[in-house]
Amino acid sequence: RLSFTVTTLDGAELLAAQPTLNVSGALLFATFLDAFGAGSYSVVLIDDHGTDNLGRNVSVEHLFNVTILPVNDVPLFSFTAANFSGTDLAEQSVLGSTGNMINEM
C-alpha cells in the first residue's frame, strides 16, 4: 500500500488542517477564513512493504510552496436603531461606528 506524507515547514497559521495528498496525487487543504500568505511544505511517498534486502520504503523528499492571495471582501456594517442620535435631522451620527466596520484589507 502506498501513502503520501505531507509536512508543513512554514505557514501553519494559514491552514485549518494539515494538507494531504490523495491516492491520485491531488493536494487537499483548507485555509482559515481570511488567511493569506505563503507556506512551504514537503511530501514523501511511503510504501508499507518494509525495507528487507536493503530496500527503501520512503521516496526522496519533494518541496513545494503554496501562495494564498488575499481577497478584498465587501466591508460589513452592522447597527441598531439605538446607535442613532437625533430625529428628523438631515445628518445622522452613528455611535461607535469604527468598532462595527469589519474588513481585514
Side-chain angles (χ1 to χ4, degrees):
R1 190 177 91 103
L2 299 174
S3 63
F4 292 104
T5 298
V6 179
T7 303
T8 300
L9 304 174
D10 182 44
E13 70 279 1
L14 302 173
L15 303 180
Q18 178 69 20
T20 60
L21 283 170
N22 68 16
V23 294
S24 300
L27 179 65
L28 308 171
F29 65 93
T31 63
F32 286 114
L33 184 64
D34 294 326
F36 62 92
S40 300
Y41 307 89
S42 69
V43 64
V44 293
L45 179 62
I46 301 171
D47 75 44
D48 64 356
H49 289 295
T51 57
D52 293 344
N53 302 317
L54 301 176
R56 291 187 51 150
N57 67 340
V58 179
S59 72
V60 173
E61 179 181 62
H62 292 275
L63 303 175
F64 63 95
N65 298 312
V66 172
T67 300
I68 301 165
L69 301 175
V71 175
N72 188 8
D73 298 328
V74 175
L76 301 176
F77 183 68
S78 63
F79 61 89
T80 64
N83 294 117
F84 288 96
S85 63
T87 57
D88 297 326
L89 298 174
E91 184 176 314
Q92 297 286 315
S93 63
V94 179
L95 304 174
S97 62
T98 57
N100 294 334
M101 297 296 281
I102 303 166
N103 191 355
E104 73 286 345
M105 294 298 296

